[in-house]
Amino acid sequence: EEKAQVDQFEPNHRIIILTAAPAPTSTVGDGSTLDDRVWFQQLYDSGLGKYGDDVAVGIHPYSWANPPESVCCHASPGVSGWYEHPVFYFRNNIDDYHSIMLKNGDSNRKMWVTEFGYASYDGLRRSNGGPASLDPNAGAGWENILNQQQQADYVLRTFYLAQKPPYYDYLGPMMLWNLNFGILPGLIDNGREEAGFSLLDIQWNPRPVFNTLAAAPKTTPSPP
């Protein structure tokens, strides 16, 4: 009986262990944060390289309001901030992480994008039906830069970018954040930044980003 239970998971099932994913950041003078690139190297200093490719690296390569194809450090049209450092760019984040992997002789390991997304407060409403607005004290003013159609376009373009060389070779699954924080009164009524990433609004209606993803081709791409 025990043999039968084991056989049902063979040969196509595999357990993958993920590292915790770093948030793109830089070192602050008071020591309250650590540069994510430094932290990434510390994984290797602590022995990550000795494990096989059944250990994948989790990453959170957000891009603020910068287009997924752009790189540091020139503002795209309409972008008025959050462009002056590599941590603000999807491509710079994954390029830098991959460079650290190669520097440590680790070319076969996959990076899993366990969080990414674009945020926009455009079109969101509070639970009383009035227009929602971002809390000005949230420090997340980039969510007022993109409209909701740009949010949709950038999310889809990020998926497409990851399916092309060179990223196809070393990026694993990508998990878009988030589905429904825009329906939560405690978030949307208080202008919390998490609500701006939502694919649904307060009435459970799909936003353009939801519809864009629903209409996108779902076939598995062939290796380049």
Side-chain angles (χ1 to χ4, degrees), residues 98-115:
H98 190 240
S99 292
I100 293 170
M101 294 172 68
L102 294 179
K103 183 179 72 173
N104 288 275
D106 195 16
S107 59
N108 293 324
R109 195 177 313 280
K110 293 286 189 178
M111 292 190 290
W112 286 35
V113 181
T114 54
E115 270 191 34

Side-chain angles (χ1 to χ4, degrees), residues 119-165:
S120 172
Y121 251 72
D122 177 36
L124 289 176
R125 295 194 169 273
R126 300 175 183 267
S127 57
N128 64 7
S133 59
L134 184 69
D135 178 0
N137 298 314
W142 73 87
E143 298 196 17
N144 290 322
I145 294 176
L146 301 182
N147 62 44
Q148 57 186 333
Q149 188 57 55
Q150 287 176 303
Q151 175 193 32
D153 293 343
Y154 286 7
V155 166
L156 188 61
R157 282 160 54 182
T158 305
F159 277 117
Y160 284 160
L161 180 67
Q163 294 174 8
K164 300 177 181 178

